[in-house]
Amino acid sequence: MNLPNPHGAMLAIDAAAIAHNWRLLSSRIAPAECAAVVKANAYGLGIETVVPVLARAGCCTFFTAHLEEGFRVRKAAPTSIIYVLNGMPPGSEPLYQINRLRPVLGTISEVGRWKKAGGGPSALHVDTGMNRLGLSLGEAKTLSTLNEWESIGIEVLMSHLVSSEEPGSDMNMAQITCFNRVKDWFGDRIKRRSLANSSAHFLPEPPIYELTRPGYAIYGGNPTPDQHNPMKPVIRLEAQILQIRHIEPGESVGYNAQWTAKRPSRIATISLGYGDGWLRSMSGADGKPGGAAMMNGKLCPFVGRISMDLITVDVTDCPIADVSAGQRMTLIGDGISVDDVAVMAGTNGYEILTSLGERYQRRIVGV
Ligand SMILES: *Cc1c(COP(=O)(O)O)cnc(C)c1O
């Protein structure tokens, strides 16, 4: 018996594309090591899905934001090296040690606490311009003149770029120069250095050092905005059409009547909404186009406000036979990339990925 699909929308995740993307980045920077950033549940795609795929592709080192994510990566890749970016809450030191997680130490107090707890493999984060996390330059310089930290196991010196996706930004060279100074203060006492995120792999002179930390590009996002995306698309998203309705000119669609038909129109109501991460900023109002979905090669605009569970799409220009209840429209795929969706939503692809909801039927393909 063919059971009806209980989900409104279907998210396919291509494991082969994830592995391909990581290998592509890794081969660009060899012999340096390419890690994988899997914070925010592997950019919304699922730690338990993504980490084993990357481990099989040869990835040995992972970065998470939170300790809790570190526990999950430890389960998914028992022999891997795992760094936790967001610091070490007081009292959590033994949790790092028991689970073989490596804190990214970003304050003098964290360095002190890690030493007191007995230390272990860890990274040191120095701020070179983000003004967000990490030791200040003054703190780093002072630390480099002391020797009591040398036994605590700092293996990687790292910093993070502000504008790596803008090859023309002066910030890149300024931060690289600054990072090189910090590197010289510590010299050989910290053996490995890491500065590059995804986009930095594609800078004219990529700051690779010994370890890189790509995230977005692994998941198919374009690390070179406005240029051809060198990565393979990883996800495909489709939603079911629930109803088709015919409306007359002058009739409005959706909450607060933000869009009005100017011609006899056919409207498809599809089964996803902002509850699935399809941001309300993609609503289509009179005079302000929003997002769109694809049907058999035809791009169909969203009309009216996006609701929690529903989006209304103008399918007037599609052949009648192409659109009926039960068929699916494509939200990502068939020429709509995650980066395209981001432009329609007025955000970046990172936010689109990490907003992907829990309600999709998730299918792993390409295994
Ligand atoms: C998120 C993050 C990365 C990965 O950045 P992408 O642009 O996704 O490649 C690397 N390093 C740090 C510190 C991060 O916070």
Side-chain angles (χ1 to χ4, degrees), residues 37 39 43 85 132 158 160 197-199 213-217 350:
V37 179
K39 61 195 182 189
Y43 290 50
L85 289 164
R132 195 174 69 167
M158 63 163 268
H160 192 39
N197 66 339
S198 296
S199 293
R213 311 184 307 270
Y216 190 52
Y350 297 65

Side-chain angles (χ1 to χ4, degrees), residues 63-79:
F63 284 82
T64 68
H66 302 297
L67 192 50
E68 182 272 339
E69 294 171 333
F71 298 154
R72 288 168 58 195
V73 176
R74 175 52 71 229
K75 274 215 185 92
T79 61

